[in-house]
Amino acid sequence: MPMWLVGATVVDGLGGEPVAGQAVLVEDGRITQVGGHVPAGAEVLDCAGMTLVPGLIDAHVHFGMSSNLQASVTRQLSVAELAADMFANCAQTLDAGFTTVRDTGGIDNGLAGVVASGKIPGPRILHCGPVLCQTGGHGHLAPEWEPTADWVHHEIPGLRAWTMLTDGPDAMRRNAREAFRRGASFLKLCVTGGVVSFHDKLSDTQFTQEEIAVAVEEATARGAYVTVHAHNNAGVRNAIAAGVKCVEHGSEIDDEVAALMSEKDVALVPTLAVIDMVLADVATIGLPAHIAERALTVRDGMINAIHAARRAGVRIGLGSDLIGPNQRNRGDELVIRSKVETPMAALVSATRENAEILGLAEEIGTIEVGKRADIVGFDVSPLDDPSVFADRERVTLVVQNGTVVKDTR
């Protein structure tokens, strides 16, 4: 049945000024009219006093890391507990107004499937399956004493698959094909060291251009793309030369590299919320104390990278990268980005620009006729008070695919 959302201020995600009192018509899961008069007798959802925005998108999540990481890596948790934590994470993500996420490593297609089927509540999930990383590189989380051959046994078929160890072009081709076989819609590679790493340095480069290019070739053959975890510019340059389309983190990106990214149409997804999470409470996540020292070294660089990317005209998405058991405040990334730039810039990154990066710009990301009806309502304007982005109690309405999945008006 057609449903009119009336009485709210609408922020369409395109970057223009909010429009007060604008009605939105939803039919068969899509937006079929924005503005106009509501006919007599129509089904009306009264949104008076609310601000409606497009469904939020988190372009960098790790649902497969929803438990204490140390306990998870060392098999101290049952599969039932791991699954319960992942299901709860999916539900609270949707409750926070995120109707779509891109999981950048850690889940098996089984999780995406049960959410899509409606068996558990959660956002629309695009995922890469297991991340492709080199032996001893970022993503190889095993302790030093564990034989490398044992790493594959950390996978839980149907639920979790963190990374596939990949060394050489032939292994890259085989593992890229395996990731797609398992349901991946894109590939993710780790091309530099990382913050949450046990066997490398942030200054390390990982994978050769030849190895990265093989992944790009396999992704292109399927109409997909490659994104890369990368902190240092040497790794970013290698990845761009090989043809990747997105960089995660990018904490060393400067004007020169940003210009190269713009020239090659490579997007950037900064991830600041996880840095603040690690700095605030590294133990709860299940990480050793020295990881916080690493996190401190990249925060300012990532902020500088955002400004350099903006100057160069790079498309900038938004990702939280939250890990561990406390992923309740996914909207923290928008709060931080509102301070780095503006609340409107943060919102557009989390909606229209993220939709473009995910390849879903024709379907989601804005409140426009023809788009899927993913709409979130806040009880006050997040443009006036960005703190509400991270307050689930202020998210009073969530519409996903035209269905009301949360209503606390």
Side-chain angles (χ1 to χ4, degrees), residues 4-6 21-25 33-40 42 44:
W4 284 91
L5 282 64
V6 302
Q22 189 170 57
V24 179
L25 176 61
Q33 187 173 331
V34 179
H37 299 288
V38 179
V44 171

Side-chain angles (χ1 to χ4, degrees), residues 41-126:
E43 181 183 358
V44 171
L45 197 65
D46 185 1
C47 301
M50 297 171 59
T51 296
L52 301 182
V53 305
L56 302 175
I57 304 168
D58 190 334
H60 194 122
V61 308
H62 291 293
F63 283 164
M65 297 181 176
S66 298
S67 307
N68 179 285
L69 295 188
Q70 180 65 23
S72 185
V73 169
T74 53
R75 300 186 178 94
Q76 297 178 45
L77 302 175
S78 69
V79 173
E81 186 168 356
L82 293 170
D85 289 343
M86 291 164 70
F87 294 164
N89 199 354
C90 289
Q92 68 190 15
T93 295
L94 182 62
D95 188 67
F98 288 85
T99 53
T100 302
V101 300
R102 183 180 65 158
D103 192 292
T104 52
I107 67 167
D108 186 285
N109 199 43
L111 181 70
V114 295
V115 173
S117 72
K119 290 184 178 180
I120 60 171
R124 181 184 298 105
I125 300 175
L126 282 73

Side-chain angles (χ1 to χ4, degrees), residues 11 13 15-16 18 53-54 56 310 318 331 333-351 353 378 381-389:
V11 184
V53 305
L56 302 175
R310 281 289 183 218
L318 179 143
E333 188 71 25
L334 284 102
V335 177
I336 299 168
R337 286 282 296 277
S338 294
K339 297 174 183 177
V340 173
E341 300 190 273
T342 66
M344 179 64 83
L347 179 62
V348 172
S349 284
T351 53
E353 290 182 305
F378 292 88
S381 172
L383 302 182
D384 296 333
D385 180 6
S387 69
V388 304
F389 279 130

Side-chain angles (χ1 to χ4, degrees), residues 11-15 31 53-55 57 351-353 355 361 363-369 371-375:
V11 184
D12 61 14
L14 293 169
I31 299 167
V53 305
I57 304 168
T351 53
R352 177 176 62 82
E353 290 182 305
E363 292 288 305
I364 60 173
T366 58
I367 298 178
E368 293 183 284
V369 171
K371 297 291 182 71
R372 291 191 180 276
D374 288 358
I375 300 171

Side-chain angles (χ1 to χ4, degrees), residues 196-217:
V196 182
S197 281
F198 303 147
H199 315 295
D200 60 30
K201 304 183 298 294
L202 283 162
S203 57
D204 290 353
T205 59
Q206 298 172 5
F207 288 136
T208 64
Q209 285 188 28
E210 181 185 9
E211 288 172 313
I212 301 168
V214 169
V216 170
E217 182 181 9

